[in-house]
């Protein structure tokens, strides 16, 4: 299975003919251009390709080309005899008319032209830009992965100005390069004059050609008239000018792509990058992205050293395209949920941009922000959460969360700003790059060299969940067997999450002892418990034992007497009888990475059977399109900021707080993902994680000292599953280079053995595997990221089973 590279061929020109609507003369324009190209480029083969055609075979457009532009290689790929829209004509077809198959066939055809000889090709679509393809999807969406430069055939008739501009905007918003407009002259409506000025401001040239002669009284005379027409128009000066401009833009595009890495090296400071001695060819030039794939620029020789990623179809990999597909293996730093270039998200963003632009949010409201807030509060299914605070990214959202929690704790326990108040958290945690959130994590590569870093907290070490040699293991940290007991094995991942059936006593005793030591013996004050539920991302994709996180939250919530620092707990420190009031310490769940279906559920809190008082969501919130973050808080947290003084308010905000574009895109993104869940879009992935019949057994009674039943967040008892298949994870876990594997939702983490014995972020054990995947093979590459000795991969929520399984095969081969 190989993805289709965007066919950027180093030949004079190839483009897509698109029309504003039916009967505006696409095939006539194509014929004119074919004859003009034959004349101007006699040493090159000229090709015409019609992917889909409907109507009688005698009326096929490729036949028209063959008749009036002799010598042109004219082909059509799919023909339906019924003269109706392709989606209707294809209903009775026995051919595979899926979008993927049509794209594969088009790409195979274009690759064949490039391999056999130098040439130019015109690809002509069927009907208008938004006409349905055989599958029913819009043509503009069908051909988008190819991203061919477009010659738009404008409409010369009454109403044609509006339809031409609408067609342009439909293509533009989907990422096409509309390079020129061509249309017939019409002295009555004179659409061309208006459109020429309109498109000139957008850097697009508009050309006109005379209309074809009226049909003659006989076929012979008609063909003679058309032959003369094509001969004259193909020799017109502005037709030649169009070809020159189109070719020049093609050459400029290639030149620009070739220079971008050098120019970036001169002007850009990249994140998480040591620039000293960095080779320039390590900078990946991305021309576009669609679905799961980047289209990356590189020569055949250098592509292996400059790419990174995977694939998506089944065509010959031998191509001279200057662009190579690369699977986006990090889901673009964990943000990709609905695929690159998603047209629904692009349209949502355009609508909000046109309706609002950006409007200030302090003391105001707009529909997108209100709708999104209500949607989130409904879907998180957490009775504690009542308020939504908007920021722009995970770091700032966590800054707000910590501010909220510390204020609430200080108000309840009577502390002042002069008291040193810290947080409780987990080792290996990461809550952002801003100065405040850095202090919420233990010293690490990310923060210990930052001059203002102080590390204000205590971080619990914890047992981790791993698959090792095909068996799920809950393993204590090295040297802490006395505190946590020996490693325990489980038959399935579901069994790990059956908290009510697992022994909780050991965790309870350890956590209680630690909290008493920290508060009573050391006299430290804590204002919040901060956790990334289930998987700690940047710390190394650490899969925390959900029972430990559940127990830590429960013990903290029942320990107000430890945090109040008084012999008799003030009445104000005791929560009300309402279950929505916070107790002990406010509980913050950092779901920036793990939330919103990344782990297979709407919230990762549901795995822990724990309702946080504050939760933070970003990354998948907008499906990867634009930055946005929300911090959700309980009423009792909100009430801590109420007083008669403005200075007691939450004085935090951003210029782009609750920007309408982001809120509209987020609402669209959440609707798409929740719809996917409802219709079973991930059932094929879930199938490989269903327990085998011989392994299935009825639930066993709760054990003594088991985790007590609590209000269960949404989907709390749903089976666990991963887009990465269980056989693949099992095979990885048996590999001699692999120490352990974790797979949950769309996340896969491979922990590699380090021959030098190093572990963590400083290890280089995963680099060789990353580089091997980076090298293009069979026409595609895999872009992946490493965290020390851990290589992780992430699918998007829209990745196909075929794509993910192909990535799995590539990983096993690379190992």
């Amino acid at each position: 299975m190989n993805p289709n590279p965007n066919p950027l061929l180093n030949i004079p020109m190839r483009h897509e003919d698109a029309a504003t609507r039916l009967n505006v003369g696409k095939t006539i324009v194509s014929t004119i251009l074919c004859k003009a190209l034959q004349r101007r480029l006699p040493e090159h083969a000229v090709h015409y390709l019609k992917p889909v055609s409907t109507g009688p075979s005698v009326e096929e457009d490729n036949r028209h080309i063959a008749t009036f532009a002799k010598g042109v290689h004219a082909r059509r790929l799919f023909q339906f005899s019924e003269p109706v829209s392709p989606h209707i004509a294809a209903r009775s077809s026995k051919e595979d008319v899926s979008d993927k198959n049509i794209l594969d066939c088009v790409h195979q055809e274009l690759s064949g032209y490039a391999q056999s000889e130098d040439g130019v090709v015109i690809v002509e679509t069927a009907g208008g830009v938004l006409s349905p393809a055989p599958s029913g999807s819009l043509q503009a969406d069908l051909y988008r992965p190819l991203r061919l430069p477009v010659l738009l055939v404008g409409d010369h008739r009454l109403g044609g100005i509006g339809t031409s501009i609408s067609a342009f905007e439909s293509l533009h918003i989907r990422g096409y390069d509309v390079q020129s407009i061509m249309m017939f002259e019409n002295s009555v409506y004179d659409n061309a004059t208006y459109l020429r000025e309109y498109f000139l401001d957008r850097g697009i040239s508009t050309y006109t050609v005379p209309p074809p002669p009226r049909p003659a009284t006989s076929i012979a005379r008609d063909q003679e008239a058309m032959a003369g027409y094509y001969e004259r128009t193909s020799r017109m000066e502005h037709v030649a000018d169009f070809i020159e401009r189109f070719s020049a833009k093609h050459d400029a595009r290639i030149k620009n792509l070739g220079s971008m890495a050098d120019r970036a090296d001169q002007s850009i400071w990249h994140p998480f990058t040591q620039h000293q001695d960095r080779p320039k060819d390590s900078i990946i030039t991305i021309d576009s992205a669609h679905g799961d794939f980047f289209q990356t620029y590189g020569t055949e020789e250098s592509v292996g050293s400059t790419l990174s990623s995977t694939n998506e179809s089944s065509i010959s990999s031998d191509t001279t395209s200057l662009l190579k597909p690369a699977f986006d293996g990090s889901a673009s730093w964990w943000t990709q949920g609905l695929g690159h270039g998603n047209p629904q998200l692009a349209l949502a963003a355009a609508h909000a941009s046109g309706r609002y632009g950006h409007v200030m949010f302090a003391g105001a409201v707009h529909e997108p922000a209100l709708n999104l807030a209500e949607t989130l509060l409904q879907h998180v299914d957490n009775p504690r959460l009542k308020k939504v605070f908007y920021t722009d990214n995970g770091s700032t959202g966590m800054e707000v969360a910590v501010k909220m929690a510390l204020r609430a704790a200080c108000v309840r326990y009577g502390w002042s700003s002069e008291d040193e108040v810290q947080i409780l958290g987990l080792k290996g945690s990461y809550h952002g790059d801003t100065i405040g959130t850095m202090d919420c994590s233990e010293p690490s590569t990310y923060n210990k060299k930052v001059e203002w870093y102080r590390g204000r907290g205590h971080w619990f070490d914890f047992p981790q969940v791993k698959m090792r040699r095909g068996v799920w293991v809950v393993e204590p940290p090295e040297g802490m067997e006395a505190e946590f007991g020996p490693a325990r094995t489980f038959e399935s991942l579901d069994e790990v999450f059956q908290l009510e059936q697992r022994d909780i006593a050991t965790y309870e005793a350890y956590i209680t002892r630690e909290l008493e030591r920290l508060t009573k013996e050391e006299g430290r004050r804590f204002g919040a418990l901060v956790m990334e539920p289930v998987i700690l991302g940047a710390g190394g994709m650490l899969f925390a034992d959900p029972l430990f996180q559940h127990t830590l939250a429960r013990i903290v919530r029942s320990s107000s007497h430890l945090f109040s620092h008084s012999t008799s707990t003030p009445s104000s420190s005791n929560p009300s009888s309402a279950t929505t009031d916070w107790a002990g310490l406010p509980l913050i769940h950092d779901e920036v990475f793990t939330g919103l279906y990344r782990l297979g559920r709407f919230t990762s809190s549901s795995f822990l059977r724990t309702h946080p008082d504050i939760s933070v969501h970003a990354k998948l919130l907008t499906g990867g399109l634009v930055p946005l973050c929300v911090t959700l808080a309980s009423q009792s947290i909100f009430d801590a900021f109420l007083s008669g003084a403005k200075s007691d308010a939450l004085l935090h905000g951003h210029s782009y707080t609750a920007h309408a574009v982001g809120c509209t895109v987020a609402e669209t993104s959440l609707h798409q993902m929740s719809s996917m869940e409802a219709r079973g879009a991930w059932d094929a992935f879930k199938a490989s994680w269903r327990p085998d019949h011989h392994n299935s057994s009825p639930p066993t009674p709760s054990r003594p000292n088991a985790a007590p039943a609590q209000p269960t967040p949404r989907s709390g008892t749903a089976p666990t599953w991963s887009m990465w298949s269980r056989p693949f994870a099992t095979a990885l876990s048996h590999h001699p280079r692999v120490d352990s594997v974790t797979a949950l939702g769309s996340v896969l983490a491979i922990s590699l053995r380090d021959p030098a014995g190093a572990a963590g972020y400083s290890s280089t054990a995963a680099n060789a595997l990353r580089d091997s995947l980076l090298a293009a093979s069979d026409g595609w590459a895999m872009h992946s990221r490493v965290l020390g000795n851990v290589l992780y991969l992430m699918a998007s929520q829209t990745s196909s089973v075929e794509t993910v399984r192909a990535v799995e095969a590539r990983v096993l081969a690379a190992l």
Side-chain angles (χ1 to χ4, degrees):
M1 183 199 93
N2 289 344
N4 294 321
N6 182 313
L8 178 60
L9 309 173
N10 197 10
I11 55 179
M13 182 180 70
R14 53 95 185 82
H15 73 266
E16 180 176 352
D17 250 350
T20 56
R21 60 183 181 180
L22 289 170
N23 302 319
V24 294
K26 289 194 309 298
T27 304
I28 293 174
V29 169
S30 294
T31 308
I32 293 170
L33 293 179
C34 283
K35 287 188 68 67
L37 286 165
Q38 284 181 306
R39 182 173 296 105
R40 296 191 63 82
L41 302 170
E43 71 279 12
H44 294 281
V46 177
H47 301 271
Y48 167 88
L49 180 64
K50 183 85 171 184
V52 177
S53 179
T54 63
S57 58
V58 294
E59 297 179 6
E60 290 179 26
D61 294 332
N62 55 295
R63 289 175 179 258
H64 186 91
I65 297 287
T67 299
F68 294 105
K70 297 186 184 300
V72 171
H73 303 164
R75 285 207 62 196
R76 59 103 178 120
L77 300 179
F78 295 86
Q79 170 68 28
F80 306 102
S81 59
E82 200 174 355
V84 292
S85 175
H87 75 290
I88 297 175
R91 286 177 182 174
S92 58
S93 172
K94 295 181 180 179
E95 291 187 89
D96 179 1
V97 292
S98 65
D99 289 354
K100 176 184 176 302
N101 190 48
I102 291 176
L103 279 178
D104 285 351
C105 291
V106 170
H107 185 269
Q108 205 165 25
E109 193 75 19
L110 297 179
S111 297
Y113 300 158
Q115 292 164 26
S116 61
E117 56 194 340
D118 288 339
V120 293
V121 57
I122 293 172
V123 180
E124 183 184 314
T125 59
V129 165
L130 299 180
S131 296
S135 68
S137 60
L138 303 180
Q139 284 199 107
D141 295 331
L142 165 62
Y143 295 111
R144 167 57 182 85
L146 299 175
R147 217 178 80 85
L148 298 172
V150 172
L151 163 63
L152 180 64
V153 179
D155 193 342
H156 61 287
R157 298 169 297 185
L158 182 64
I161 292 175
T163 55
S164 299
I165 292 174
S166 295
F168 160 72
E169 290 182 347
S170 297
L171 293 169
H172 185 70
I173 206 170
R174 287 170 169 81
Y176 286 91
D177 292 333
V178 179
Q179 296 193 358
S180 297
I181 311 293
M182 188 170 284
M183 60 194 304
F184 294 134
E185 297 167 354
N186 187 312
S187 59
V188 177
Y189 304 119
D190 195 21
N191 293 350
T193 297
Y194 183 92
L195 292 175
R196 186 174 288 108
E197 294 178 3
Y198 175 87
F199 285 113
L200 184 63
D201 288 342
R202 291 152 180 81
I204 300 172
S205 302
T206 301
Y207 299 88
T208 59
V209 293
R214 293 180 178 275
T217 55
S218 69
I219 294 178
R221 288 184 177 180
D222 187 62
Q223 288 194 340
E224 181 181 356
M226 288 300 298
Y229 168 79
Y230 285 131
E231 187 66 25
R232 293 190 301 275
T233 53
S234 65
R235 294 177 178 274
M236 294 178 68
E237 187 173 328
H238 55 266
V239 172
D241 180 68
F242 159 78
I243 292 174
E244 292 298 325
R245 285 175 179 260
F246 213 99
S247 297
K249 287 185 177 181
H250 172 79
D251 294 340
R253 180 185 176 193
I254 293 176
K255 183 178 179 180
N256 182 59
L257 285 168
S259 68
M260 284 174 64
D262 283 341
R263 288 155 54 201
D265 189 57
Q266 295 296 317
S267 60
I268 291 177
W269 191 337
H270 280 105
F272 292 99
T273 300
Q274 177 50 263
H275 288 69
Q276 183 168 312
D277 302 324
R278 176 187 67 169
K280 293 179 183 179
D281 64 3
S282 68
I283 301 174
I284 301 168
T285 299
I286 298 175
D287 176 70
S288 66
H290 188 274
D292 288 325
F293 300 92
F294 303 135
Q295 291 293 341
T296 56
Y297 174 83
T299 64
E300 199 71 42
E301 293 75 23
S302 67
V303 69
S305 62
T306 60
L307 289 188
S308 70
S309 268
T310 340
N311 77 10
E312 182 183 323
S313 73
S314 54
I315 56 151
S316 170
S317 60
D318 183 18
T319 174
T320 57
S321 175
L322 299 180
L323 297 176
K324 304 296 179 188
F327 177 75
D328 180 5
S330 70
S332 280
W333 264 348
W334 321 345
T335 64
Q336 252 325 304
L338 294 169
H340 295 280
N342 183 297
Q344 285 76 29
L345 299 187
L347 288 167
H351 174 75
S353 178
R355 178 177 174 182
Y356 297 100
H358 173 61
V359 294
M360 63 85 65
F361 197 65
V365 70
H366 51 71
E367 191 175 33
L370 181 59
N371 287 347
L372 177 59
E374 292 174 341
T375 297
L376 285 164
L377 292 175
Q378 176 188 354
H379 279 76
V380 296
D381 200 24
N382 179 346
R384 294 174 180 264
L385 301 178
K386 299 297 182 183
K387 300 290 184 178
V388 177
F389 191 94
Y390 285 101
T391 53
D392 55 356
N393 62 66
S395 295
T396 55
M398 282 302 299
E399 289 271 355
V400 172
V402 174
K403 279 187 177 182
M404 291 176 175
L406 296 185
R407 170 68 63 82
C410 288
V411 169
R412 178 169 291 184
Y413 292 128
W415 301 330
S416 72
S417 59
E418 296 180 1
D419 292 309
E420 175 68 19
V421 182
Q422 302 180 341
I423 64 99
L424 292 172
L426 299 179
K427 286 192 173 182
S429 60
Y430 170 91
H431 302 293
D433 291 330
T434 51
I435 293 292
T437 56
M438 282 186 177
D439 272 1
C440 293
S441 298
E442 65 175 330
S444 70
T445 302
Y446 298 111
N447 56 32
K448 63 185 177 182
K449 288 191 176 182
V450 176
E451 288 71 17
W452 277 15
Y453 172 74
R454 294 297 179 268
R456 297 168 183 170
H458 173 80
W459 299 277
F460 287 88
D461 212 339
F462 54 91
Q464 295 182 38
V465 181
K466 305 173 180 180
M467 179 186 275
R468 185 173 282 130
R469 300 191 64 78
V471 176
W472 287 102
V473 180
V474 173
E475 183 177 75
E478 186 175 356
M480 296 189 70
E481 291 79 6
E483 289 84 354
F484 296 121
R488 283 150 289 171
T489 60
F490 296 83
E491 292 186 2
S492 70
L493 190 55
D494 275 334
E495 192 177 339
V496 173
F497 284 100
Q498 290 171 0
L499 307 186
E500 70 282 356
Q501 298 180 34
R502 294 181 54 194
D503 188 352
I504 199 174
T506 301
Y507 289 166
E508 282 183 324
Y510 169 73
I511 292 167
T512 301
R513 287 196 309 270
E514 281 295 289
L515 290 177
E516 289 178 346
R517 178 182 65 82
L518 293 166
T519 57
K520 292 183 177 180
E521 297 178 20
E522 298 184 9
R524 297 167 69 177
R525 288 185 173 87
F526 297 99
L529 170 59
V530 186
M531 294 191 296
E532 297 169 79
V534 186
I535 294 181
L536 284 66
M541 296 295 163
L542 309 176
F543 194 156
D545 183 359
L547 182 62
F548 181 86
Q549 291 190 309
H550 168 92
T551 307
L552 178 58
R554 192 172 70 84
I555 297 299
V556 165
R557 279 182 164 165
S558 63
S559 301
S560 294
H561 62 287
L562 294 178
F563 303 117
S564 64
H565 280 257
S566 71
T567 55
S568 61
T569 303
S571 59
S572 62
S573 71
N574 291 317
S576 68
S577 58
T579 58
T580 57
D581 199 358
W582 67 270
L585 296 177
L587 171 58
I588 301 173
H589 275 183
D590 177 354
E591 293 200 31
V592 170
F593 161 50
T594 60
L596 305 177
Y597 296 108
R598 178 57 74 197
L599 302 186
R601 298 181 185 175
F602 191 87
T603 71
S604 55
S605 298
S606 67
F607 288 100
L608 306 186
R609 315 287 181 88
T610 302
H611 290 306
D613 304 293
I614 302 170
S615 68
V616 184
H617 304 265
K619 300 294 186 186
L620 287 181
L621 182 59
T622 65
L625 188 62
V626 290
L628 189 70
C629 182
V630 290
T631 302
L632 280 57
S634 70
Q635 187 68 41
S636 61
I637 297 294
F638 175 80
D639 289 345
F641 290 83
L642 299 180
S643 85
K646 173 70 177 290
S647 60
D648 287 333
L650 179 53
L651 302 179
H652 193 109
H654 300 85
S655 298
Y656 286 88
T657 293
H659 61 102
V661 171
C663 292
T664 304
V665 172
E667 179 78 0
T668 304
S669 174
L670 295 181
H671 174 73
Q672 285 196 31
M673 288 190 286
S674 60
S675 296
M676 291 176 70
E677 181 184 36
R679 70 173 185 268
W682 302 309
D683 286 353
F685 293 108
K686 295 178 181 180
S688 82
W689 290 92
R690 294 191 187 112
D692 296 330
H693 179 72
H694 66 274
N695 284 335
S696 61
S697 58
T700 57
S702 296
R703 302 172 186 171
N705 298 315
Q710 293 195 11
T712 302
R714 180 183 179 90
S715 304
T717 57
T720 55
W721 60 278
S722 175
M723 298 177 80
W724 307 96
S725 69
R726 183 165 57 175
F728 169 63
T730 301
L732 281 177
S733 72
H734 282 90
H735 196 281
R737 289 180 59 191
V738 174
D739 175 68
S740 63
V741 176
T742 59
L744 186 61
S746 57
V747 181
L748 172 75
I750 308 169
S751 180
L752 294 164
R753 301 180 190 277
D754 191 326
Y761 201 83
S762 61
S763 171
T764 60
N767 291 358
L769 178 57
R770 177 200 62 195
D771 294 343
S772 178
L773 296 173
L774 188 68
S777 176
D778 296 333
W780 56 275
M782 291 180 60
H783 184 278
S784 59
R785 301 285 297 181
V786 298
L787 295 164
N789 65 315
V790 175
L791 180 136
Y792 68 85
L793 292 172
M794 232 166 283
S796 65
Q797 312 317 107
T798 53
S799 297
S800 68
V801 173
E802 183 184 15
T803 295
V804 176
R805 299 298 172 257
V807 174
E808 292 176 353
R810 179 61 59 85
V811 171
L812 289 172
L815 275 171

